[in-house]
Amino acid sequence: MLDSNYFYYTGATLNCDEVRLEELAGTFGTPLYVTSTRSLVDSYNSFEHAFAGLPHFTCYSVKANYNLSVIRTFAELGCGCDVNSGGELFRALQGGVAPEKIIFAGVGKKSEEIAYSLKVGVLMLKAESLSELRAIDRIAGELGKTASVALRINPNVTAETHPYITTGDSKEKFGIDEAELPEVFTLLRQMSNLRLVGLDMHIGSQIFDPEYFVAATVKLLALFNLSKTMGFSVEFLDIGGGFPVTYDPLKPATPIERFAEKLVPMLLPAGVTVIFEPGRYLVANASVLLTRILYKKHNHVGKKFFVVDAGMTELIRPALYQSHHEVQAVTRHDETFVADVVGPICESSDFFARQREIDAAEEGELLAVMSCGAYAAVMSSNYNGRLRPAEVMVNGRDVKLVRKRETLEQLVQNELF
Ligand code: LLP
């Protein structure tokens, strides 16, 4: 059970902050994403506290949860944003983030996206290839601007995590190959519309062992020294995101302080501003996906199923990465049984939990799928004609609807028929 300060039982009832989840389901319906604002604020503060010893700038990676109210919560705390597309840039700006606090990543930025980011004046674009640098140089020239760029390096460090979310390995598409960098530095000098302001990396997501960060930072620092000897004065070293959270109480995440203990002494002597891009760390455990049990069924081989009204369309992580999410009854029962918690989608991969011990809840009762703040709503889809759920944010007793449930009309609104 993933009990926290934000999602906890009083008696048999699961709450978010000071509000009963049952009450929220009654008002807003299900499936429903419920986010604790206090959890967002506390995660940000704990991150800032851990790295307080280092001159740094934290850019929330909005891909984890780009709801405007979530973005605004962090923006109001002084946090910047890491965006990965023109769409995310638009969202960050709408969420109230100043352009000079936004950094623009992405292995395949289109010309229009590059132009958009230059026009609004982001802090930097993180380039991932020589061709991209040439494109940024050309577009900046056309716009009469100088583009601030960082080079994303591929440090060839294979961080242990799910293979789909390890990004710092030379087998992957990300970043500029380390062997190519000396040449890139040389060619950069000829690109008169670019200013090199940073060196960047991102080695993956949900990385438990700080040593992977250490290994990649060693490489980043070596390149930083090379950049100095080649006459550049880089102001930012960007370490990326990837800091872990606990999904399964049996596999607790490495505390953020363990990362800071290793990284702060390594990076401090560089005398630059270090950028961090945490996504998951700031949001994963701030939200649950609230879902109602539609049917209970069992079969002759002894399998039991809870069929619920949310599915892989609202949380694809178990299907895509075999990830574990706790599933908790919103009203506790003394009795438990082992069951699969499955959704209504026509795919066998549509499950939240398999062979899991769950409270013996009845049809019509609610389950909370835990840790749904990161990469849940943002990866939702309309597959099977599903309507994206509503989203609410809770702060103490205060409840705000921050995204309306989609309607049937919205499902067809872009079609020309
Ligand atoms: N910076 C860059 C350049 C990234 O690509 C990412 C995540 C982050 C920062 C934030 O990483 P975080 O701190 O959240 O680990 N959908 C997958 C995760 C994909 C992560 C993609 N990049 C999942 O559900 O596990």
Side-chain angles (χ1 to χ4, degrees):
M1 193 170 80
L2 208 60
D3 214 7
S4 69
N5 291 334
Y6 318 101
F7 295 95
Y8 60 91
Y9 287 97
T10 46
T13 307
L14 189 58
N15 306 280
C16 174
D17 276 3
E18 292 161 38
V19 179
R20 287 171 36 241
L21 290 179
E22 186 78 58
E23 189 183 315
L24 294 175
T27 311
F28 300 101
T30 54
L32 181 71
Y33 297 105
V34 180
T35 299
S36 156
T37 307
R38 283 186 195 164
S39 171
L40 298 176
V41 173
D42 288 355
S43 301
Y44 177 73
N45 287 338
S46 71
F47 192 88
E48 290 305 283
H49 187 253
F51 288 102
L54 190 65
H56 73 279
F57 178 44
T58 301
C59 291
Y60 166 54
S61 195
V62 307
K63 61 174 71 72
N65 185 331
Y66 53 43
N67 182 288
L68 296 181
S69 303
V70 171
I71 293 176
R72 186 173 52 197
T73 302
F74 291 123
E76 284 173 356
L77 296 167
C79 189
C81 276
D82 161 57
V83 301
N84 199 66
S85 66
E88 284 191 352
L89 173 55
F90 178 72
R91 279 189 167 275
L93 294 168
Q94 293 283 307
V97 188
E100 62 275 14
K101 287 186 157 187
I102 299 176
I103 58 177
F104 189 14
V107 70
K109 302 179 195 73
K110 294 177 79 167
S111 302
E112 333 44 309
E113 294 179 303
I114 293 170
Y116 176 31
S117 70
L118 291 174
K119 281 183 199 153
V120 300
V122 296
L123 177 61
M124 63 168 87
L125 289 91
K126 297 177 283 171
E128 301 209 21
S129 66
L130 196 49
S131 300
E132 188 191 345
L133 281 167
R134 292 199 173 107
I136 300 171
D137 183 46
R138 176 180 49 79
I139 295 164
E142 285 162 12
L143 294 172
K145 303 210 178 254
T146 302
S148 295
V149 293
L151 301 179
R152 173 164 174 181
I153 65 155
N154 183 319
N156 197 17
V157 169
T158 314
E160 192 188 329
T161 179
H162 191 279
Y164 289 1
I165 53 175
T166 188
T167 52
D169 186 302
S170 294
K171 287 198 301 295
E172 308 300 341
K173 66 182 172 183
F174 298 102
I176 300 174
D177 187 62
E178 47 184 343
E180 203 191 351
L181 271 150
E183 188 200 346
V184 172
F185 283 135
T186 308
L187 292 174
L188 250 179
R189 289 218 192 85
Q190 298 155 18
M191 300 188 202
S192 54
N193 305 306
L194 301 187
R195 195 165 70 91
L196 181 67
V197 297
L199 297 174
D200 163 59
M201 66 183 200
H202 171 73
I203 56 170
S205 197
Q206 186 66 349
I207 299 165
F208 271 53
D209 187 346
E211 289 308 323
Y212 294 114
F213 281 87
V214 170
T217 302
V218 167
K219 299 236 175 139
L220 194 71
L221 287 169
L223 288 165
F224 173 59
N225 288 333
L226 177 67
S227 73
K228 281 200 286 196
T229 58
M230 294 187 75
F232 293 100
S233 53
V234 157
E235 300 157 48
F236 301 103
L237 287 180
D238 184 338
I239 303 301
F243 305 99
V245 301
T246 301
Y247 284 98
D248 181 348
L250 299 176
K251 294 182 188 152
T254 317
I256 196 68
E257 291 75 17
R258 299 291 91 76
F259 292 85
E261 278 160 17
K262 297 274 182 182
L263 292 174
V264 172
M266 286 180 83
L267 288 161
L268 202 51
V272 294
T273 300
V274 172
I275 293 180
F276 295 105
E277 303 171 0
R280 190 191 309 272
Y281 179 86
L282 297 181
V283 293
N285 281 318
S287 312
V288 301
L289 173 60
L290 205 52
T291 183
R292 208 172 277 286
I293 302 168
L294 298 173
Y295 308 108
K296 278 165 61 170
K297 56 192 250 181
H298 58 271
N299 65 17
H300 77 281
V301 294
K303 280 210 71 160
K304 293 190 172 71
F305 299 92
F306 283 110
V307 182
V308 299
D309 68 357
M312 65 192 289
T313 39
E314 289 75 46
L315 177 70
I316 202 172
R317 304 194 68 258
L320 201 51
Y321 317 108
Q322 297 78 48
S323 53
H324 178 100
H325 286 257
E326 288 288 282
V327 178
Q328 292 178 201
V330 166
T331 303
R332 300 218 66 180
H333 291 252
D334 293 335
E335 220 183 302
T336 61
F337 57 70
V338 174
D340 285 13
V341 180
V342 299
I345 313 298
C346 57
E347 304 253 357
S348 301
S349 56
D350 179 32
F351 62 86
F352 293 128
R354 286 202 143 142
Q355 293 299 97
R356 194 79 69 73
E357 188 172 350
I358 310 262
D359 282 18
E362 296 300 334
E363 291 180 358
E365 290 189 36
L366 295 164
L367 297 178
V369 184
M370 309 304 284
S371 313
C372 281
Y375 308 112
V378 290
M379 295 178 82
S380 64
S381 78
N382 292 123
Y383 183 45
N384 272 203
R386 304 270 300 164
L387 305 177
R388 285 194 177 76
E391 299 176 32
V392 296
M393 280 176 74
V394 177
N395 194 356
R397 271 233 40 93
D398 183 48
V399 177
K400 280 203 175 67
L401 178 66
V402 294
R403 185 185 160 101
K404 291 193 279 189
R405 187 175 304 283
E406 278 181 353
T407 61
L408 290 172
E409 290 67 35
Q410 285 177 307
L411 279 185
V412 293
Q413 72 183 3
N414 280 0
E415 284 174 45
L416 307 172
F417 181 58

